[in-house]
Amino acid sequence: MRTHRPVLLAALLSAVAVAMSAVPGCGDDGAGASSGGPEPTGSDFLTRYAKALCDRTFACCDAATRAAHGLDASSADACASTFEALLAGIGAGEVKGTFVPEKAEACLAEVGAAPCAELQILGVLLGVDDEYTPSCLDAWDGSVPEGGTCNTDWDCARDRCVHTVDASGQRTSACTARAAAGEPCSSAFDCDEALRCDQPSPPSAGTCAPRLGVGGACKGSSDCQEELRCGEDDTCQTREQAGGPCTSDEDCAAGTTCDGAACAPLGAAGAPCTSSWDCASSACVDATGTCADVCKGS
């Protein structure tokens, strides 16, 4: 089982993927300093957000580890300049909504204090697990209603900005709120993260409902609470630890992968790999075919 990317980073990835086209990256250390300086404004928040993420990444991760994750900037300032330009290129610099200074200030402080283990490095795209930066998604009070065109999640009055490309190559985006418990759905993707789509007879429409605990009748692992899987007897079960039997990654606990027919720990530094999915650091060094080390912090 693998962890999910932060909501904001996932949205940025989606936007970049359309415009052009938890992976844990670092080890633990002490908390960093707060953002400092004057209260952010709507005009300078993007600059300070990019700088905060790059400063934290460079404090946590040495050059070799940054390179292994595809981040080749020579300094934190160079990283921030490139990251800010990328964010501006997907419209994050022209948010449709009202800036919330106190949330923005809290966001910058949260990024500066984020545990190194929760940093996400995907080339020049950086992020932090949402659990540690809850204020960042609220730095703007979005004004775009559901169905309206958007650039990032910050634009939306509720929830997320979804980018799509149709068969003809036409690019579109829309604010698409995840449904709450009791609201209609056609798949788990339509529902809030802690919910499932209860469909008596798929693919007919269903209703969002709480994900199931151990023993609950399930049709797939998305019906079960995150730490559980849907077993062969169609009930939610605990995921297997290293050494336990498996047929897919869904059978295995966080930090492990299905290797053949048994769950195995994700590769440590120096372990052989064919892709970043094989590594605990989420970074496979192509030149050596081995897993990169995790960041050690400053």
Side-chain angles (χ1 to χ4, degrees):
M1 178 188 175
R2 307 179 190 283
T3 55
H4 300 293
R5 293 184 178 124
V7 172
L8 186 55
L9 179 60
L12 295 177
L13 276 170
S14 175
V16 171
V18 170
M20 308 163 138
S21 98
V23 187
C26 306
D28 202 5
D29 75 332
S34 66
S35 62
E39 186 177 76
T41 64
S43 61
D44 72 2
F45 175 66
L46 197 66
T47 299
R48 293 180 64 180
Y49 178 69
K51 178 172 171 52
L53 276 170
C54 288
D55 283 351
R56 190 63 182 144
T57 299
F58 271 66
C60 285
C61 312
D62 63 24
T65 306
R66 295 195 304 269
H69 286 267
L71 179 61
D72 57 6
S74 59
S75 67
D77 285 346
C79 164
S81 178
T82 302
F83 187 35
E84 181 183 359
L86 185 149
L87 293 175
I90 59 172
E94 300 177 357
V95 178
K96 303 167 184 174
T98 303
F99 185 64
V100 186
E102 61 273 20
K103 290 293 186 180
E105 179 66 21
C107 166
L108 298 177
E110 290 161 2
V111 170
C116 291
E118 305 306 329
L119 289 177
Q120 309 281 316
I121 309 174
L122 298 167
V124 72
L125 278 174
L126 307 175
V128 184
D129 191 290
D130 300 319
E131 178 183 351
Y132 298 90
T133 56
S135 301
C136 290
L137 282 171
D138 296 325
W140 292 87
D141 184 10
S143 62
V144 178
E146 187 169 0
T149 301
C150 52
N151 291 314
T152 72
D153 290 353
W154 281 322
D155 291 329
C156 299
R158 179 185 172 191
D159 216 356
R160 58 190 172 153
C161 181
V162 176
H163 296 258
T164 57
V165 180
D166 64 21
S168 67
Q170 182 68 34
R171 299 166 180 171
T172 59
S173 66
C175 287
T176 307
R178 290 186 184 272
E183 294 183 336
C185 57
S186 58
S187 74
F189 184 73
D190 296 332
C191 303
D192 280 337
E193 190 171 347
L195 303 177
R196 63 192 170 97
C197 186
D198 184 13
Q199 296 171 278
S201 302
S204 61
T207 303
C208 293
R211 295 173 75 171
L212 302 166
V214 173
C218 55
K219 299 182 180 70
S221 293
S222 62
D223 288 339
C224 305
Q225 294 170 4
E226 187 172 354
E227 70 277 11
L228 305 178
R229 62 180 172 120
C230 190
E232 293 182 1
D233 63 353
D234 295 331
T235 64
C236 294
Q237 302 173 0
T238 302
R239 295 180 189 265
E240 297 287 345
Q241 299 297 319
C246 62
T247 58
S248 72
D249 282 348
E250 280 194 344
D251 295 330
C252 301
T256 63
T257 185
C258 188
D259 184 7
C263 296
L266 292 170
C273 57
T274 57
S275 77
S276 294
W277 290 110
D278 299 329
C279 304
S281 65
S282 297
C284 180
V285 181
D286 291 337
T288 61
T290 59
C291 292
D293 199 357
V294 296
C295 300
K296 302 300 185 184
S298 58

